[in-house]
Amino acid sequence: MAVRALIFDVFGTLVDWRSGVAREAEQLLAPYAPQLDGGAFADAWRARYGPSMETVRSGARGYVDLDALQAESLPAVLAAFGIDGVPEAVLADLVLAWHRLDAWPEVPDALVRLRAAHLLAPVSNGHVRLMVDLARRNGFTFDAILGAGYSRDYKPKPALYRDAVAALGFSASETLMVAAHSLDLAAAAQHGLATAHIARPREHGPAGGETAPGVPVTYAAADLADLARQLGV
Amino acid sequence: MAVRALIFDVFGTLVDWRSGVAREAEQLLAPYAPQLDGGAFADAWRARYGPSMETVRSGARGYVDLDALQAESLPAVLAAFGIDGVPEAVLADLVLAWHRLDAWPEVPDALVRLRAAHLLAPVSNGHVRLMVDLARRNGFTFDAILGAGYSRDYKPKPALYRDAVAALGFSASETLMVAAHSLDLAAAAQHGLATAHIARPREHGPAGGETAPGVPVTYAAADLADLARQLGV
């Protein structure tokens, strides 16, 4: 079946979360932690992302958005780095660092090419406003914002993939999940979606990133421009 | 409070549903009803829209999208016009007439102006794919698609207004509901939203349309370009 719609993971796949969070943390925390290693701080904060989402995925509590989860995680990250005395307003601004991330270099142009032939929507664990802010900052044009906000749950729960397919109205096999993370693609494939892996060897900075899919995929691409070429756009 | 985000009713406010449905009905039903008055057909179909949505709003059944409701209403409309023998494929295409409607003339340019200064999202009783198709056809760029698909219910239920405010992340008073229908604006105002009425004197063809708000509103505009002027963009 021809691909009609592309749905995207965002953090790591379309935007470079580590560099952006590192930059913002170093700037905002400079008065409280002048020697901060922003990359290490970003890694530590990101490490709490999975467990914090699990409190929602497990049903232990109702849906709360990623800003709320990141805000909850932040005090422990600060403590781990020995940082204290940060005013509430700075903490709130630091949570918004996740709204101020830059795209990987080829992404904006590749999205324009892809959108000429396909419907595009993020299916991220980020909520609507977070996606809107990243899209505005980076010049992304999406047809819709799906994902955690739309489904009130977090990937890899089935609702996110199923709701995205239903919302865009093509068959699952005409809907292509695009991600730099094999676990996300494996979950999408379980629901019949086509899958595209994007190599992001620098996602985790010195710790690397997935250079190739660890699961069977429909497309494996070096970057989003390569995926566009493989799709013939 | 300054307006930060605009949310839009779509059928009647941004697009001319009556002319579009009339055109499509006359074309698609020509072999079965050569003398069809497409405008009257559109009116009859539209008249069933409220009662059909009420089956969801009342909780009598779970959320089904507007395509499903329009498809359910269609046989009775055809019967009322004495039309029979229409193949299933034509009926399915006729339901998609609602995806092929044209904007009121000033809307595309006005949305471009408004988007330079505000976040924009439809909050329609149409679902995601329906909004996406109307946006693509008419060159609308939205930041997100909210409304019935996002809230799994129909206006004027509170969830649609509350969910839209929460998704865009501004206060209710910074969020402007834009509609050609006073009932929609009255409901939005109940939840603290700012409101803008757009006059659409030809929405219902010879039967007219709202030329002015019937309830107190924040802005009353002759069309969407006038609203943009009033908002200073």
Side-chain angles (χ1 to χ4, degrees), chain B residues 83-94:
Chain B
I83 304 168
D84 56 19
V86 184
E88 286 297 324
V90 174
L91 297 178
D93 199 16
L94 192 52

Side-chain angles (χ1 to χ4, degrees), chain A:
Chain A
M1 285 273 229
V3 170
R4 304 292 302 277
L6 275 67
I7 59 176
F8 297 93
D9 176 64
V10 172
F11 297 109
T13 300
L14 298 185
V15 304
D16 175 5
W17 58 266
R18 188 176 188 272
S19 297
V21 172
R23 175 197 68 228
E24 296 273 334
E26 290 180 5
Q27 288 173 359
L28 291 168
L29 297 175
Y32 319 100
Q35 304 301 321
L36 181 66
D37 176 345
F41 188 88
D43 291 338
W45 203 357
R46 180 66 173 69
R48 293 177 178 273
Y49 174 84
S52 69
M53 289 190 297
E54 189 59 24
T55 64
V56 173
R57 282 193 293 244
S58 68
R61 63 171 167 176
Y63 175 70
V64 295
D65 71 25
L66 199 54
D67 283 355
L69 295 178
Q70 302 286 29
E72 289 174 9
S73 299
L74 188 52
V77 180
L78 291 165
F81 282 75
I83 304 167
D84 56 20
V86 185
E88 286 297 324
V90 174
L91 297 177
D93 199 16
L94 192 53
V95 168
L96 296 179
W98 295 90
H99 296 232
R100 296 189 292 256
L101 307 176
D102 294 328
W104 297 109
E106 89 287 359
V107 167
D109 286 352
L111 287 177
V112 171
R113 289 164 55 196
L114 290 164
R115 189 161 183 268
H118 305 93
L119 299 188
L120 307 185
V123 174
S124 164
N125 283 329
H127 45 291
V128 170
R129 176 63 181 277
L130 178 45
M131 294 296 106
V132 168
D133 285 344
L134 293 174
R136 284 276 184 144
R137 178 181 180 91
N138 291 290
F140 303 159
T141 300
F142 293 121
D143 290 287
I145 308 287
L146 304 171
Y150 190 81
S151 297
R152 281 77 157 174
D153 207 339
Y154 286 102
K155 291 188 292 184
K157 289 284 285 286
L160 279 87
Y161 307 99
R162 291 177 182 160
D163 289 350
V165 169
L168 295 175
F170 298 108
S171 69
S173 63
E174 293 172 310
T175 307
L176 179 64
M177 179 77 215
V178 181
H181 309 126
S182 295
L183 286 175
D184 199 356
L185 298 173
Q190 281 187 329
H191 303 290
L193 283 76
T195 53
H197 185 271
I198 307 296
R200 291 297 180 202
R202 299 189 299 121
E203 178 180 356
H204 296 277
E210 291 191 20
T211 55
V215 297
V217 295
T218 319
Y219 300 92
D223 60 20
L224 201 64
D226 181 32
L227 179 64
R229 280 190 294 274
Q230 293 188 45
L231 292 173
V233 298

